[in-house]
Structure formats: structure tokens, C-alpha cells
DNA sequence: CGATTTATTGAGCGATTGCTCAAAATTGGC
DNA sequence: GCCAATTTTGAGCAATCGCTCAATAAATCG
């Protein structure tokens, strides 16, 4: 009985994510979204509620995809430390890929949003926390596997890695050449590998 | 013969810097600036030209103050490596101070600005490059002083430190407790000190 | 073929954006 | 006190902002 839906919601969300990731929340206007989603304002609001709500959905999707990618990388390695090092080296290729932005959308949001967008800001913080928790878990696994010395603190190591990833990706956002980012990521990866008990 | 200028230009710039650093470029409206500077639009435009130009001046002032602070810290130590470690530990106190933002304004700008604000974006990049160059110089000095092993690469070390500072300050922007930021900064400082030849 | 249901449209709302400029206010020199 | 020089004002511009909603289009039902 109803009219068939013309737009695939998932696909629209993907396009919106692409746009928000590239331009940030404030610099993305509804006109931009209308163009990119090929939808009129009414349809966008019927599907997503508001610009803010759409942004939050995009944030969550971004983080989910990022976590999947992280865990996929980690799963390729038997050694937890090797998995983390490999993840860093993958990030070193950021400058080569064609992406909306080289910087992490969560960090972009963390730095851009203020009190007026508290809901989205809180979501970004929570998702960063989840990312950090994943790192901590991985270091815990490394410790359990005997890769780390007994005195090692997985919480501090996870926190440090989180900060390094934030830094690496912010650095990659600069107009530096690809080789520099690769070298930086490699240096960070070596630091992780240096934690391994020989 | 002219009418005396009512507002101190330097002071106005300082207030604008405070506001831009806190809210970012896009989220700061002229109404906000009018309120904070206690100036009407005409005066602001007479003094600074445009919102974009004012932002660029604020960026430059921010970076100049930051570089001064960095060099002041470094000058307190005879050992280049100790100076860098001390700088990191100072950043570890970010969460305790009352600042417009814990994140670096240059990084916030780097992540927020797009093609439409290319001039300001380019300025932020150049200022970050200057910061990195300062780090590189310091590592060069450390190498010359025999603190680093001969094979050490000051360019890579400077780049790495730049990324760590970016990461540390982005991390500090999160709603984490002060102790975590202190621990993170300390871990980073220890990494620097670990480079020292015993 | 209606009838019904739902998706989509797009003109346009009130508010806000960055900004302009003629007028008013304030000074110092004569 | 008056003129000239300069700063400051603030109403208000055109454009854009996020968003609403009555009208329209499309699809499935009997």
C-alpha cells in the first residue's frame, strides 16, 4: 500500500558520513547534504530527524567501521603486539589513500564541537573511549601471552597508543609527503615492538 | 588632531584569540566577537579587516606565544633532551590550568578549516612546520652534545615529537581526569629521556 | 480503476550569517 | 569655540542558516 522508498537509507548515511568527515559539522550545510544525498530537505528530515541527529548517526557508523577495521587487522596476527604494530603501519599509508580526511573523524569532532553540540560531543568521547578500551584489551592480551614484562601497565600503554594514533592521524592531515607519514608510523610501530620481551 | 583610539588593539586581539581558540573558527560568530571585544562591527572591521584576517592574526599570535613558551622551557635546561622532556611534562598539566582549550589551536584549525579558509589553513600548516623545526633543532643540538647515538635521525625524532604533542593535547581535550594526562605526558617524557646515551 | 498510504517535493519561514557605510561622537590644533 | 581628522556606532543589507509543512507523486490494495 505504501509508496516504495526511493533512497537507500544506509547509502544516504554513507554519503553523509563522507561529507561530515571531510568538512566537519559546522562547515557542512544542509545545502551540501541536499546535493550529496540528492534529497530535498523534507526527505532528509523525515529520514534522520535533524542535522545533528544525522551527524551523530554518521559518527557512530564511522566508529563502528573503524573498530571493525582495527579488530580485523589485529585478528590477522597471533601476537597482540605485532597486531598493534601492523595497525600503526596501516595508518602510515593514510596519505596514499583517497579519503574524505586523513584525520580521525572522532578527533575532528572532539576538537570542533562545543557545548551547543553536547550530544554529538559526548558520543565522540564515548567512541574514543571504546577505541582506547580496545587498545588496553590488546595490551592485556599481550601481557597474558608473556609478550610484556610483568610490571607493564596495559592501561597506560593503551592510553599512550591512543594518543599516538591521534597524533599520527593529525600529523597526516598536514601537507607533508607520504614518506614522512610512513616513517612516523614506522617509528611508532617500532616502539610497540620494542616492548616485546626478547 | 585625530580622535584617540578607544580600544587597545593588542588587547582586542588577545580577547579574539581566546574566543577563537575556545570555539574554533566556524562556531565563533561576529556577534560573539562583538560581545567579547566590546566593539561594534564597524570598529572590528576597521581594525582587523575581516573575520578571516582577525583569525589569522590570532593564529599567528597564538603560535608566537607558544614558541616563546617552548624556548623558555628549553632554555632552563643545559641538556636538550631534558628540556624536551620538561616541555612534555608541562603539557601534562594542561588539564589543571584554566585555558580556552586544552587542544592546540593550530591542530584545531588544521582539522577544522577547509578550502574556503585556505589562507588561514596554510598559515596553520606553516606554523606547525616551524614548531616541528624547533623540535628538530633541539634534537640536532642533543646529537651534537653527544646525548644521542650517532645513528639517530633528528628529523625523524622531531617529527615523532611533534606528533606526540599533537596527540597528547588532543587527548587532554577529552573529559579524562588530570591524573591520566599527567601519566601520559610522563610516559612520553620518559621516551625522550630513554634516548639519552647512558 | 479508484482509494489509500506513504515518500518526496520545494517554496519559504524566522533567525542568523559576515559585513557595509552614512551618521554621530570624540579628540587635538588653531 | 570651531574646524579638521579620526574613531565609533548601529541600523540594516544580501545571503545563508537549519528547518517546516501543505501539496504532490508514486506505489499497493480491493
Amino acid at each position: 500500500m505504501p509508496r516504495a522508498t526511493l533512497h537507500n537509507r544506509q547509502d544516504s548515511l554513507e554519503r553523509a558520513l563522507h561529507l561530515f568527515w571531510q568538512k566537519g559539522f559546522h562547515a557542512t550545510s544542509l545545502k551540501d547534504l541536499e546535493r550529496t544525498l540528492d534529497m530535498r530537505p523534507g526527505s532528509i528530515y523525515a529520514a534522520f530527524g535533524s542535522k545533528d541527529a544525522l551527524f551523530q548517526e554518521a559518527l557512530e557508523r564511522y566508529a563502528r567501521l573503524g573498530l571493525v577495521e582495527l579488530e580485523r587487522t589485529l585478528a590477522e596476527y597471533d601476537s597482540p603486539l605485532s597486531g598493534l604494530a601492523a595497525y600503526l603501519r596501516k595508518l602510515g599509508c593514510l596519505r596514499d589513500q583517497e579519503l574524505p580526511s586523513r584525520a580521525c573523524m572522532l578527533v575532528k569532532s572532539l576538537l570542533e564541537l562545543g557545548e551547543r553540540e553536547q550530544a554529538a560531543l559526548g558520543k565522540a568521547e564515548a567512541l574514543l573511549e571504546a577505541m582506547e578500551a580496545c587498545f588496553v584489551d590488546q595490551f592485556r592480551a599481550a601481557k597474558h601471552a608473556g609478550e610484556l614484562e610483568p610490571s607493564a601497565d596495559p592501561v597506560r600503554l593503551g592510553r599512550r597508543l591512543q594518543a599516538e594514533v591521534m597524533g599520527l592521524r593529525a600529523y597526516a592531515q598536514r601537507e607533508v609527503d607520504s614518506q614522512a607519514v610512513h616513517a612516523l608510523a614506522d617509528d611508532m610501530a617500532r616502539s610497540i615492538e620494542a616492548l616485546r620481551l626478547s
Side-chain angles (χ1 to χ4, degrees), chain A:
Chain A
M1 38 192 125
R3 172 176 176 180
T5 158
L6 178 54
H7 295 286
N8 179 334
R9 196 177 187 280
Q10 275 285 86
D11 185 63
S12 296
L13 181 56
E14 205 70 43
R15 290 168 187 269
L17 162 55
H18 192 283
L19 196 57
F20 276 130
W21 185 8
Q22 176 182 109
K23 307 189 65 172
F25 179 77
H26 289 118
T28 301
S29 71
L30 271 177
K31 280 275 179 291
D32 291 330
L33 287 165
E34 288 172 39
R35 230 185 327 262
T36 301
L37 306 192
D38 190 30
M39 289 166 83
R40 261 38 63 195
S43 298
I44 297 178
Y45 280 81
F48 300 103
S50 70
K51 181 190 175 185
D52 197 273
L54 174 53
F55 182 78
Q56 289 182 47
E57 274 200 60
L59 253 193
E60 278 168 359
R61 176 152 181 82
Y62 171 85
R64 212 174 54 77
L65 292 177
L67 261 184
V68 165
E69 161 74 4
L70 167 59
E71 281 168 354
R72 209 167 49 79
T73 303
L74 296 180
E76 287 174 20
Y77 294 82
D78 292 334
S79 151
L81 289 186
S82 296
L84 292 173
Y87 178 67
L88 280 168
R89 291 204 172 87
K90 268 194 186 167
L91 291 181
C93 303
L94 271 173
R95 259 224 139 266
D96 313 319
Q97 302 171 248
E98 194 72 43
L99 288 171
S101 168
R102 274 153 257 143
C104 171
M105 185 177 172
L106 300 179
V107 174
K108 287 186 76 162
S109 303
L110 176 70
L111 299 197
E112 180 190 353
L113 302 182
E115 295 177 3
R116 300 184 68 131
E117 303 88 16
Q118 211 171 5
L121 181 55
K123 209 152 264 182
E125 299 226 30
L127 294 167
L128 281 168
E129 202 174 326
M131 193 94 184
E132 183 175 338
C134 181
F135 289 148
V136 172
D137 279 349
Q138 191 72 0
F139 279 116
R140 268 199 259 270
K143 190 171 176 180
H144 193 261
E147 292 192 322
L148 296 173
E149 52 183 318
S151 68
D153 182 346
V155 170
R156 286 179 78 138
L157 289 170
R159 185 158 54 213
R160 172 85 186 270
L161 179 54
Q162 163 97 312
E164 300 234 60
V165 170
M166 286 170 136
L168 169 57
R169 299 196 60 177
Y171 191 95
Q173 182 72 9
R174 284 177 51 188
E175 288 280 347
V176 292
D177 55 46
S178 163
Q179 177 268 333
V181 180
H182 273 98
L184 175 58
D186 197 59
D187 286 344
M188 291 179 171
R190 280 178 207 271
S191 288
I192 298 289
E193 287 163 341
L195 296 171
R196 173 177 278 122
L197 290 174
S198 53

